[in-house]
DNA sequence: TTCCCCTGCTAAAACCATTTAGCAGTTGCA
DNA sequence: TGCAACTGCTAAATGGTTTTAGCAGGGGAA
């Protein structure tokens, strides 16, 4: 019952020409010598029959499947993750490619499976996205297709798309300074001594480097540096409450929005107002950043742009160097509340 | 330079047998009469060469590509979305399938594109996921592959996976009653009169029906029903603040967690404590629900289970009826704070 | 006239797997 | 002995496209 797919041969027959001619015309070859009349007839026949090329057959012949693989350790968890996917998806769509999404949980066995599955389907390229990546991630298989690392790096694959964390770190400090804050600043989320020898991630190290450099250049030092491994709201809450027992900061620089969220709660409970008593700045532009009152001023991860850049890089023929994307500054009301800010 | 792919012919040659034999052995045909020795030789040769079947070639012959399409209106936005994808991904992986993810933004043109792209790649089935779906969604193309609707329904495709919103609605009310609350309850997010003639979504209607039925059976009526179209925190905040100017509720039943988040802020600002003064219950188990203090007691959408169920349904040969999944009750501290609850 | 090039097109091979049809040799049974 | 059935295997067709090699016919130059 189900009608057979219409094939190139059907089109050719209807047009009264060979499949060779039909193929050449429909793929838009430039140097062909087929007549204008032939072109017209083939196009007419194709649209009349609703012809769509069979991608599997084409892939078999050309080794191009117009599809790419997006392999990541985690896909859910943060808004960051879906932003990356979303941007990549949009860019893939524009390039008329389709995207296979694969999740590995960071487990080597699943990583291998994922890469194999993608390669079996002759993808035109692979993106390795690191969502939580503490360290570099290396699936050790022969891959003869372009590879782009997204939000991570790899010794084997030089092309990567990264946020400019160093500059982002500097910007966070600069925002505080520009608001006239000149001391009594606390760093929430990291303490060099406590975490000596621990490796969190290359990205975070750069963020910290930017922060430290900017502070030093301004002749400032944090009055406290609070360490915790999981950057979740409850940690931010506990650390801030403990902090307030002994110190009265003028600003808290939080290493992500979730910590800032917890800090916000602790400050509110202590009857301190934001930003008048204590200013807050953080990173990521997580969903919750906009929910707070006042909204959190934050250095955003350019999720969608990164995903998009990865695909564009992957599909650009002779790409040789990766991309570093600026982290946009999202000003809300947690540093100062001038007119015009939410 | 790049080594040629290993083909079945290579394996057959090394094993000293025909490709027919190699194919039959590697695909594990049951009724074949090939010798144990032949089996051993072929498997040996395959693993020695690292043979991997070319999926495109296989798809061309068998019309099965071991891949499915996940087409949704939005992919980022909510945690809900990525939960669905994640569950679907896990189930697909277990079934050794690969998943194409496509986003349409709810635009008909992109919907058609997406379905075509998937069909061109001979997917073994399609999932249409509705993230925000206000109404039913129908891409009007001939699709001769199984289809499952996820979090939505369609007249054309009877198989769908849905949360049991009606029971969820009943549960929300029941939780309040069990906590000894017997009146002064406010419904936040909907007002039958204000929204007469508006169609939000079938799912939400069922949620409301469950709530209304449970209230009626308990002989109760809401002391206020507050309508707003966008269920975002700022709306919840504004409506609750306005409410508090004239009324003093004992509980607020919020139609989603974001509204509850806003209500929480307004209650805190008014100096009311949760749950002692005002109890809060809501829906979705959004990420923010666990961040609040106390945590939000909420009726969860079973994201991952739904995604998983959709794939399993899609891949089950003669599936004839869809699935309705229970909405788990996540008890935190916003209705009552007994020992043991967060 | 012969040779060469150009035009407009096509036959057939190639890509890599699955599957149908069938072959040669042995055994089982009457 | 004759015939059927079985065993263990293979040749060739098939799926839909791209691409290489080349064909027939006409025109221009030498």
């Amino acid at each position: 019952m189900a009608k057979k797919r219409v094939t190139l041969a059907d089109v050719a027959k209807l047009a009264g020409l060979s499949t060779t001619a039909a193929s050449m015309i429909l793929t838009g070859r430039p140097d062909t010598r087929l007549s204008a009349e032939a072109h017209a007839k083939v196009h007419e026949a194709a649209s009349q029959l609703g012809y769509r090329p069979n991608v599997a057959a084409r892939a078999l012949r050309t080794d191009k499947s117009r599809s790419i693989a997006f392999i990541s350790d985690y896909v859910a968890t943060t808004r960051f993750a879906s932003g990356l996917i979303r941007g990549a998806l949009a860019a893939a769509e524009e390039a008329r490619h389709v995207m296979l999404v694969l999740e590995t949980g960071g487990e080597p066995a699943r990583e291998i499976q994922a890469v194999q599955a993608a390669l079996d389907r002759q993808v035109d390229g692979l993106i390795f996205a690191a969502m939580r990546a503490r360290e570099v991630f290396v699936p050790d298989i022969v891959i003869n297709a372009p590879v782009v690392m997204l939000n991570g790096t790899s010794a084997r694959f030089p092309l990567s798309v990264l946020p400019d964390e160093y500059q982002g770190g500097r910007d966070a400090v600069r925002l505080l300074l520009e608001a006239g804050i000149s001391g009594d600043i606390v760093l929430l989320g990291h303490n060099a001594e406590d975490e000596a020898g621990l490796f969190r991630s290359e990205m975070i190290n750069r963020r910290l480097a930017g922060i430290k450099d900017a502070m030093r250049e301004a002749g400032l030092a944090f009055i406290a540096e609070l360490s915790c491994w999981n950057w979740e709201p409850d940690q931010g809450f506990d650390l801030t409450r403990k902090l307030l027992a002994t110190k009265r900061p003028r600003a808290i620089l939080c290493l992500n929005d979730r910590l800032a969220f917890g800090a916000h709660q602790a400050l509110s409970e202590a009857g301190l107002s934001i930003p008048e008593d204590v200013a807050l700045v953080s990173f990521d532009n997580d969903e919750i950043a906009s929910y707070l009152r006042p909204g959190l001023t934050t250095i955003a991860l350019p999720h969608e742009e990164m995903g998009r850049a990865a695909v564009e890089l992957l599909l650009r023929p002779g790409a040789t160097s990766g991309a570093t994307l600026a982290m946009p500054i999202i000003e809300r009301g947690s540093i100062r509340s001038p007119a015009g800010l939410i």
Side-chain angles (χ1 to χ4, degrees), chain A:
Chain A
M1 284 298 103
K3 280 171 206 142
K4 294 282 293 173
R5 245 189 112 86
V6 356
T7 77
L8 187 63
D10 299 332
V11 174
K13 188 187 292 179
L14 180 58
L17 290 164
S18 69
T19 62
T20 308
S23 171
M24 285 173 154
I25 288 169
L26 290 177
T27 51
R29 275 247 206 135
D31 55 347
T32 191
R33 298 185 305 250
L34 295 159
S35 66
E37 190 196 6
H39 278 258
K41 279 195 295 188
V42 167
H43 279 122
E44 163 62 20
S47 78
Q48 189 177 319
L49 296 174
Y51 170 71
R52 305 227 93 219
N54 180 324
V55 177
R58 181 178 285 177
L60 188 57
R61 189 69 235 265
T62 62
D63 245 335
K64 302 240 154 299
S65 58
R66 296 199 83 76
S67 61
I68 61 187
F70 184 103
I71 303 179
S72 78
D73 45 2
Y74 294 94
V75 60
T77 44
T78 67
R79 178 182 173 191
F80 180 50
S82 38
L84 289 180
I85 293 184
R86 189 160 218 239
L89 231 37
E93 185 182 341
E94 281 168 26
R96 321 214 104 233
H97 279 241
V98 120
M99 205 168 95
L100 268 53
V101 176
L102 298 154
E103 190 181 44
T104 69
E107 303 162 29
R110 290 177 71 200
E111 284 171 4
I112 293 173
Q113 294 276 346
V115 174
Q116 295 283 26
L119 257 27
D120 288 351
R121 281 154 185 92
Q122 290 168 284
V123 293
D124 298 341
L126 316 250
I127 292 174
F128 288 105
M131 301 301 181
R132 298 183 178 167
R134 321 230 140 160
E135 48 198 72
V136 194
F137 148 99
V138 184
D140 194 13
I141 314 174
V142 183
I143 302 180
N144 47 1
V147 169
V148 167
M149 306 298 297
L150 179 52
N151 199 38
T153 57
S154 156
R156 283 181 65 197
F157 306 109
L159 256 45
S160 52
V161 173
L162 300 168
D164 190 351
E165 292 277 5
Y166 180 80
Q167 185 59 44
R170 297 188 68 102
D171 287 344
V173 173
R174 184 170 53 76
L175 287 174
L176 293 177
L177 300 179
E178 285 177 1
I181 295 168
S182 56
D184 296 327
I185 307 177
V186 169
L187 177 64
L188 180 53
H190 182 266
N191 179 297
E193 282 181 33
D194 291 359
E195 298 184 20
L198 287 175
F199 179 72
R200 202 185 275 274
S201 92
E202 184 48 33
M203 249 58 67
I204 296 304
N205 286 347
R206 288 191 214 159
R207 181 180 295 183
L208 284 166
I211 292 169
K212 297 278 161 93
D213 284 1
M215 287 289 283
R216 189 161 22 74
E217 288 171 20
L220 294 174
F222 291 113
I223 59 169
E225 301 184 16
L226 309 175
S227 169
C228 64
W229 187 252
N230 288 319
W231 290 351
E232 295 294 338
D234 56 341
Q235 297 286 318
F237 181 82
D238 292 345
L239 287 172
T240 304
R241 195 156 58 170
K242 243 174 264 164
L243 172 78
L244 293 175
T246 64
K247 291 206 169 75
R248 173 59 37 101
R250 175 67 189 86
I252 305 179
L253 196 160
C254 308
L255 284 172
N256 79 356
D257 290 334
R258 299 146 94 103
L259 285 172
F261 185 93
H264 187 113
Q265 290 174 318
L267 292 169
S268 299
E269 279 194 14
L272 294 168
S273 67
I274 301 167
E276 292 77 11
D277 298 327
V278 182
L280 231 41
V281 64
S282 59
F283 291 87
D284 291 2
N285 193 27
D286 208 324
E287 197 167 13
I288 53 175
S290 67
Y291 291 173
L292 289 173
R293 327 197 123 244
L296 229 41
T297 290
T298 184
I299 311 295
L301 279 168
H303 336 93
E304 301 200 10
E305 291 75 9
M306 288 175 64
R308 172 174 285 283
V311 170
E312 286 168 357
L313 201 59
L314 193 69
L315 263 29
R316 178 159 38 241
T320 164
S321 70
T324 304
L325 274 61
M327 298 180 73
I329 297 167
I330 311 292
E331 275 201 84
R332 297 200 181 89
S334 67
I335 292 185
R336 51 179 167 187
S337 49
L341 287 189
I342 303 158

